[in-house]
Amino acid sequence: MHQFYKISYGCGQDTKVIIASNKYEAVGYYLLEVQGGMCCLLEDLDEIEVLPPDHNVEVSCIGWPEYKTLMELYKEKEYGDTPQVVVGLE
C-alpha cells in the first residue's frame, strides 16, 4: 500500500509530497531525484510526515481558493509510477 509523505528541506523552502511504498523509499527518491544527489543529507531534512490521501491542498486562488485532495492530484498525473512527486508545497 502506498502512502503520501511530506518531506521538507531548507527550513521548509523545498517541500514536496511524494507517494511511495514506505518512508525509506520516499526519502531516497527525494534525495536522489528531487535534490539531484546534491549535498543533501538525511540529517538536513527538516520534516518527514505521513499525510492521508484525503489531505486538501490549495491548487489555485483566483478570488477564492480551490482545493484538491492528494489522491485527486495523484490520479491526474500522466504516469501512475511510484515513487513520484505528487505536489510541491510552499
Side-chain angles (χ1 to χ4, degrees), residues 7 10 13 18-19 21 27 37 41 44-48 55 61 71 88-89:
I7 301 176
Q13 293 182 20
I18 296 173
I19 187 167
S21 298
V27 169
L41 303 174
D44 296 332
L45 297 179
D46 298 328
E47 177 182 21
I48 303 167
H55 180 81
C61 186
M71 187 55 80
L89 303 174

Side-chain angles (χ1 to χ4, degrees), residues 12-60:
Q13 293 182 20
D14 189 13
T15 302
K16 304 283 190 255
V17 175
I18 296 173
I19 187 167
S21 298
N22 57 56
K23 177 173 100 171
Y24 304 105
E25 183 179 64
V27 169
Y29 183 83
Y30 184 88
L31 293 174
L32 294 173
E33 299 297 326
V34 176
Q35 292 295 325
M38 297 174 46
C39 299
C40 180
L41 303 174
L42 183 60
E43 298 86 34
D44 296 332
L45 297 179
D46 298 328
E47 177 182 21
I48 303 167
E49 178 184 351
V50 177
L51 298 175
D54 62 351
H55 180 81
N56 282 320
V57 176
E58 184 177 323
V59 292
S60 71

